[in-house]
Amino acid sequence: SMDEAGHILCAFRFADLLSHPHLLKAKWWLELLLVNNFYPPAVYAVNGLLKVFLGPAHYVDWLSLAIYDFVLTASVFALTLITTRQRFAAVAAAIVINFYTDMVGYSRSFLLDSQVAAMIALGLFFLVFWREKPTWQRAFLGGFVLALVLASKQIAGAFLAGPGIYYFVRIAVQRRG
């Protein structure tokens, strides 16, 4: 579709900008961060970096989708393992997410749906991972991951807002009592 082609072309543009860096020029940074006027740059950055290191072949686009599928599967597995403490449940959740009809379709298209689903799962995992044992290292890493998640597509914030508010309120109540 036109949207898929646009996303692939934005990755090429990002790769081109990375191949000819002008780190001291504001215009270069502006073009890099606004490679697409409608979406944040994280997915284009990942795909652009892959194109810089592996070349402009179409298999690189498929590799990107495979990487995001791996992130989704690993995040769902880890999230389930932390919340249930049952390895069987974690394996079952990782399998089920990959057989979910919409995810099967998303993982074969170059729209941003597969990537944003993977990033939301990664963000949820890091919220739970941090909450399980809050340390400054986990907070720092979690903050970086959450920034990356939010830079993948704006809607990710809506999916992470609920759990984020829940943990905020829970911590506030615990500190009061």
Side-chain angles (χ1 to χ4, degrees), residues 126 129-130 133-146:
F126 265 96
F129 179 69
W130 168 79
K133 184 182 171 189
T135 64
W136 73 266
Q137 294 95 338
R138 286 186 180 197
F140 181 80
L141 185 59
F144 176 77
V145 168
L146 290 175

Side-chain angles (χ1 to χ4, degrees), residues 75-169:
S75 297
V76 168
F77 175 86
L79 180 60
T80 306
L81 188 61
I82 287 174
T83 56
T84 67
R85 305 272 190 240
Q86 295 180 8
R87 203 173 288 279
F88 178 78
V91 169
I95 291 170
V96 167
I97 194 68
N98 284 288
F99 283 111
Y100 181 59
T101 308
D102 287 342
M103 285 312 305
V104 170
Y106 295 153
S107 68
R108 285 158 181 74
S109 92
F110 297 103
L111 297 171
L112 300 182
D113 300 316
S114 175
Q115 293 92 330
V116 76
M119 297 308 286
I120 290 168
L122 183 64
L124 288 172
F125 162 71
F126 265 96
L127 278 173
V128 172
F129 179 69
W130 168 79
R131 182 62 186 127
E132 182 185 46
K133 184 182 171 189
T135 64
W136 73 266
Q137 294 95 338
R138 286 186 180 197
F140 181 80
L141 185 59
F144 176 77
V145 168
L146 290 175
L148 188 62
V149 170
L150 295 173
S152 64
K153 197 171 178 184
Q154 299 93 324
I155 193 68
F159 288 95
L160 295 176
I165 292 168
Y166 168 77
Y167 280 136
F168 176 78
V169 169

Side-chain angles (χ1 to χ4, degrees), residues 2-137:
M2 290 296 288
D3 284 345
E4 290 175 303
H7 294 309
I8 291 171
L9 290 173
C10 285
F12 274 111
R13 179 70 182 131
F14 207 95
D16 185 49
L17 288 165
L18 289 175
S19 296
H20 305 94
H22 298 283
L23 300 176
L24 300 177
K25 293 188 177 184
K27 182 179 182 213
W28 181 81
W29 285 102
L30 187 65
E31 287 181 35
L32 190 72
L33 295 174
L34 296 176
V35 74
N36 185 313
N37 292 329
F38 302 109
Y39 297 104
V43 173
Y44 305 126
V46 169
N47 294 349
L49 282 169
L50 287 173
K51 287 182 184 310
V52 166
F53 291 113
L54 301 175
H58 191 52
Y59 80 88
V60 176
D61 299 317
W62 288 106
L63 176 63
S64 172
L65 288 177
I67 290 169
Y68 281 107
D69 281 345
F70 176 78
V71 168
L72 174 68
T73 303
S75 297
V76 168
F77 175 86
L79 180 60
T80 306
L81 188 61
I82 287 174
T83 56
T84 67
R85 305 272 190 240
Q86 295 180 8
R87 203 173 288 279
F88 178 78
V91 169
I95 291 170
V96 167
I97 194 68
N98 284 288
F99 283 111
Y100 181 59
T101 308
D102 287 342
M103 285 312 305
V104 170
Y106 295 153
S107 68
R108 285 158 181 74
S109 92
F110 297 103
L111 297 171
L112 300 182
D113 300 316
S114 175
Q115 293 92 330
V116 76
M119 297 308 286
I120 290 168
L122 183 64
L124 288 172
F125 162 71
F126 265 96
L127 278 173
V128 172
F129 179 69
W130 168 79
R131 182 62 186 127
E132 182 185 46
K133 184 182 171 189
T135 64
W136 73 266
Q137 294 95 338

